[in-house]
Amino acid sequence: MSLKSQLNESNIPRHVAIIMDGNGRWAKKQGNDRSFGHEQGVESVRAALEASVEIGLEFITLYAFSTENWNRPKEEVQALMQLLVQAIAMETPTLLKQNIRLTTIGDVASLPEETRDKLQECIDVTSQNDGLTLVLALSYSGRWEIVDATKKIAEQVKEGKLQIEDIDEDLFGTSLNTSNIPDPELLIRTSGEYRLSNFLLWQLAYSEFYFSEVLWPDFRKQDLVDALKDYQSRERRFGKISEQINK
Ligand code: FPP
């Protein structure tokens, strides 16, 4: 059965965000070091992207490296940065073939030069693609992003370009890294952890959450479909009552 035929085509979310968790535990369970789990996690990224294209999602955001991840052992951080460079180099032809555009959110300036350069190269060559947009959250945290947006707005007020009365939710939203990206309708977190871990704090205000027991390196296309099926069984009320939604 195709992935799409398992879903209600009139209720496919535009944007799914994923906290890819469990790489370290997956590797440890088999007596390997944590970085092996991250390497295997790239295969799951591949599967998630292929499934997203088949299903027809417009945006997928992957939490690849948080601001807090800088505090991990130096060797693990280096291995992750190296893996990113390798994965991007390897996957760029596939992104082009699948009409996927790459973009990033987060404090990308804090990444090592090699990682930044590889990312920029891939962003440039995929910029004309108009299928799925892959948003990689790198050196990202929701609180960092909110503070960053606040600074930009304060600067504009200071320069007299903006009145305090003009600050509203729309303006704040456009000052975030995600200004041209719709809020995710669905957040998925793998590995049986039930936390947000500082991810997309503003954007997830009305998203549905789906927690899976699967460790990220085991995540495959059907796991994404299962999450979407669960999403499609929910009633999104946005603060209203059921009768108002269904009339
Ligand atoms: C969380 O698992 C995972 C990460 C911090 C890194 C995610 C990176 C990848 C999947 C590979 C590179 C990605 C791309 C986009 C090419 P964890 O280490 O916190 O696992 P644990 O909770 O079991 O310790």
Side-chain angles (χ1 to χ4, degrees), residues 20-26 34 38 41-42 45 62-64 69 72 76 80 83-84 87 136 191 216:
M20 312 181 283
D21 198 10
N23 294 352
R25 275 165 285 160
W26 185 90
R34 299 176 48 81
H38 298 316
V42 176
V45 170
L62 301 177
Y63 205 5
N69 286 155
R72 291 194 173 192
E76 185 173 340
L80 264 169
L83 182 63
L84 267 170
L136 283 186
S191 88
W216 180 252

Side-chain angles (χ1 to χ4, degrees), residues 98-115:
Q98 294 188 315
N99 195 20
I100 301 174
R101 179 173 71 102
L102 175 68
T103 185
T104 57
I105 54 172
D107 187 13
V108 175
S110 67
L111 299 173
E113 195 180 351
E114 194 191 10
T115 314

